Amino acid sequence: MDFISILSIFVLACFVGYFVVWGVTPALHTPLMSVTNAISSVIIVGALIAAAAAGAPGAKWLGLLAVVLASVNIFGGFAVTARMLAMYKKKERR
Amino acid sequence: MHEGAAVPAWAMLAYLVSGVCFILALRGLSSPESARRGNRFGIAGMVLAVVTTLVVHVPYLADQEPVTVAAKWHDVEWTVLAEILAAIAVGAAIGVVTARRIAMTAMPQLVAAFHSLVGLAAVLVAAAAYINPSAFGIADRVVFSITYLTEHPPVTTSSILWNIHRISRVEMGLGAAIGAITFSGSVIAFLKLNGNMSGKPILLPGRHVINLGTLAAILGLIAYFTTDQAPWVFFTAVALSFAIGFLLIIPIGGADMPVVVSMLNSYSGWAAAAMGFTLHNTAMIVTGALVGSSGAILSYIMCRAMNRSFISVIAGGFGGDAVAAGGGAAIDRPWKRGSAEDAAFLMSQAEQVIIVPGYGMAVAQAQHALREMADVLKKEGVTVRYAIHPVAGRMPGHMNVLLAEANVPYDEVFELEDINSEFARTDVAFVIGANDVTNPAAKTDKSSPIYGMPVLDVEKAKTVLFVKRSMGGVGYAGVDNELFYRDNTMMLLADAKKMVEEIVKALG
């Protein structure tokens, strides 16, 4: 992909982000932060590439360390979000 | 033509789908009913991205990718794959255990800690891409051949050098810099929120000059990096970025931490986006843009809720002791003290009660007792609602989570703009652990440091019950509260949890 196509995706995604985030109810702003935190760990993709590549042991170990850090975030972020969301309950109607 | 990572079309599609899953994850948060499904979309997107990457970048024994399927299976370097899976397992164990054990009051610290990990991971990935650019497909192979004609016969030595694409150098430089700022900034935010470090602003002399100078140096180095890919350029820029992250956050006081946490959320997104540009990866770019705008919007909402400009928050110095002066004359003013029995009587006679909780309530662990009190009142036919100020907790939406944890139904909880007009029609406003967000001086007193901040109009209720430990203390912003001395205010001086428990007893 050339730079302009990537930039186009980025700019359009910023607009999508803007509108989607304004649509989030304020009551869920804390889960919003924990879930954005989990998904920003998609940076693990870069870490996996570095860890799997041959030829540069230094880069490989940096990659593996990054895999550990990003995994903490992914599992921790989604788990704590699920834990919070499970607490939100509606009024019991009698 | 670059070598190495030529990503197949199916993988690019998979990354796109994963990006869409992340959009749907945030979309789900528009209501609590759809939010759980949204979280599952997020998990699905992440699994897809990780599996796709592992399949495309299988570690092979041979230098060249094997051609036949059989050879592919045979040549997979299983030890490397095992190492990767072990790394994921280690991270997963730490993450899940932390997520299970963390107290909901400690959520801001946890999020700050998680941000620091994203930041550090971005730095490590950028460094790995710098050391091994061919693996990321961002460099051209240049072969230097030197022929020594002085020898007989002439000897030719050649060395291979990977010349990183200029645009990739900018992208990885920015990714590493933003990642490093996110890391060190989040570490400081964590220490301040966790109480390992005082919430007081630490003001270095000439800090604005130092900060701007460092920022300029980082940008200068990244620009120079495009002409010279020497290690010192890259690593000096990274080191300076670690330093600036630290310098930017230490002058910011505890009161502004909700903005800081949101801002670092935004930075972690931009770091991911910059690395997405380096890797030409749609999932990372989409996620980076989503997270970046999410953090930016939350920072804006927090700033607006405190009537502070983003620039003044960044400049720091607010909160702590700096503005505590000026409340001296207020001590002699008359105020009314009530007991738990008075409070119980007033509320049981009321038609409508609005509870205004603040962070102090969560610190005193009074939320469960408070819900019990509300349950008793509801049984007696009183309408009970909760009013939440955007900065009631230590991070956006924090108070809602704390109430949800205490089994308060979310449809009894209202945001400031939805409930503020209701106070005039309310019999009792029950303020517990909140202070600055109820101060009427924010509307009338131009000399007050919190003037202009949107506040809850609790003084319009027929009676205000204000739970507070003692008359001496001031709120987080360090100002005295007008509300204490009003005719319709009754002060309930005690530990929040004890007071609520006594009220419950008196009601029963």
Side-chain angles (χ1 to χ4, degrees), chain B residues 24 31 57 67 106 111 121 177 181 213 243 247 268 278 315-316 321 333 356 362 373 385 416 425 427 442 453 462:
Chain B
L24 293 174
S31 84
H57 296 270
V67 184
V111 168
I181 294 173
L247 291 170
S268 69
T278 315
D321 289 346
R333 293 167 66 182
V356 180
M373 183 186 94
R385 285 178 293 182
L416 176 127
R425 270 175 278 167
D427 304 296
M453 173 171 137
K462 271 193 208 109

Side-chain angles (χ1 to χ4, degrees), chain A residues 30 37 60 73 83 85 89, chain B residues 36 83 99 102 114 396 410:
Chain A
T30 297
N37 193 46
K60 191 190 132 176
N73 239 322
R83 194 180 139 200
L85 293 177
K89 291 187 191 80
Chain B
R36 284 175 275 261
E83 279 168 0
I102 194 81
F114 278 169
Y410 62 81

Side-chain angles (χ1 to χ4, degrees), chain A residues 1 6 23 25 27-28 30 36-39 43 45-46 48 52-53 60 72-73 76 78 83-85 88-91, chain B residues 29-30 36 39 46 57 83 91 95 99-100 102 114-115 118 135 265 279-280 285 287 396-398 401 409-411:
Chain A
M1 273 194 290
I6 299 172
T25 167
L28 293 175
T30 297
T36 50
N37 193 46
I39 65 172
I43 201 147
V45 166
L48 290 170
K60 191 190 132 176
V72 172
N73 239 322
F78 282 126
R83 194 180 139 200
M84 278 192 276
L85 293 177
Y88 283 80
K89 291 187 191 80
K90 248 196 161 134
K91 211 183 307 191
Chain B
L29 291 169
S30 56
R36 284 175 275 261
N39 201 37
M46 190 60 76
H57 296 270
E83 279 168 0
R100 290 237 175 106
I102 194 81
F114 278 169
H115 287 158
V118 181
N265 184 238
L279 270 62
H280 298 191
I285 293 166
T287 314
H398 192 194
V401 175
Y410 62 81
D411 40 4

